[in-house]
Amino acid sequence: MSTGAVPGPDGRLRCPWGLSTEDYTAYHDEEWGRPVHGDDALFERLCLEAFQSGLSWITILRRREGFRTAFAGFSIAAVARFTAADAARLLADEGIIRNRAKIDATLANARVLAEWPAGDLDELIWSYAPERKGRPVPKTLADVPAVTDESTALSKELKKRGLRFIGPTTAYALMQACGLVDDHLDGCVARRA
């Protein structure tokens, strides 16, 4: 099985995972690896990556709208005000992943982030983006790491500041999804020049 970029039905080369379902193709082509800025937007991605831990991303992607509804559009200020009744509601919500530890971490993280000045989450996360110059372009999936020194450092810093459920692997997935790194394979139509 090839692990390099492969042609899709339209003949354009893509990362192999981006061709496994229509949902993945849209996400691969339009979102993954594109720069994401803004505290609430990054909070959403941080939460979704944490909920994905131990599951396939397609499970999260297909419930994304349910997550957005359940978590007030991932407004940090709104989620920070969630009560015990809201936590109980979330545990009963079939539109999301009903994992108590992940729900509790999301609410706790929102409360921590609500205390930060506006723009600090964005600034902090993006301060861990590695230099693009000199970073090798992955040719196959085997060239894409699960963890890097930067993701380990980002995870440690977020934990130090009180955030939960954000280990180095989750931090790297966040970095990939939000465009801090471009792990689209060599030749992939979605790879930035």
Side-chain angles (χ1 to χ4, degrees):
M1 179 173 145
S2 172
T3 56
V6 295
D10 60 2
R12 300 186 319 166
L13 294 176
R14 289 183 177 82
C15 303
W17 66 266
L19 293 170
S20 59
T21 71
E22 287 183 21
D23 295 329
Y24 269 157
T25 302
Y27 178 69
H28 170 273
D29 288 2
E30 299 163 19
E31 286 189 70
W32 193 77
R34 302 279 193 274
V36 174
H37 286 281
D39 291 348
D40 289 344
L42 288 165
F43 176 61
E44 174 182 357
R45 300 299 182 85
L46 188 102
C47 294
L48 294 177
E49 293 296 346
F51 271 98
Q52 186 271 329
S53 182
L55 302 170
S56 68
W57 179 245
I58 196 70
T59 301
I60 303 304
L61 194 57
R62 288 181 174 159
R63 293 179 185 212
R64 190 172 182 182
E65 290 309 314
F67 276 107
R68 286 176 171 163
T69 299
F71 287 100
F74 289 101
S75 161
I76 294 169
V79 176
R81 293 189 299 268
F82 278 19
T83 63
D86 289 305
R89 170 184 57 80
L90 292 167
L91 283 168
D93 190 334
E94 294 182 7
I96 66 169
I97 304 302
R98 296 173 291 172
N99 178 296
R100 181 179 300 279
K102 293 175 182 182
I103 290 169
D104 289 348
T106 300
L107 303 187
N109 289 348
R111 291 180 190 117
V112 168
L113 293 171
E115 300 296 320
W116 292 17
D120 271 18
L121 179 61
D122 188 300
E123 184 179 330
L124 174 70
I125 288 174
W126 277 90
S127 73
Y128 286 88
E131 289 291 326
R132 286 189 67 195
K133 186 178 180 182
R135 190 168 190 272
V137 175
K139 298 199 180 317
T140 70
L141 294 175
D143 297 331
V144 178
V147 174
T148 62
D149 291 343
E150 293 89 357
S151 74
T152 300
L154 174 58
S155 171
K156 285 180 182 177
E157 185 61 28
L158 291 170
K159 287 178 182 179
K160 183 174 113 179
R161 293 181 183 221
L163 273 68
R164 299 172 15 198
F165 233 100
I166 180 80
T169 303
T170 299
Y172 193 67
L174 174 77
M175 293 171 79
Q176 290 174 303
C178 295
L180 280 76
V181 296
D182 185 355
D183 278 343
H184 285 285
L185 301 181
D186 188 34
C188 176
V189 67
R191 184 158 181 86
R192 297 187 310 256

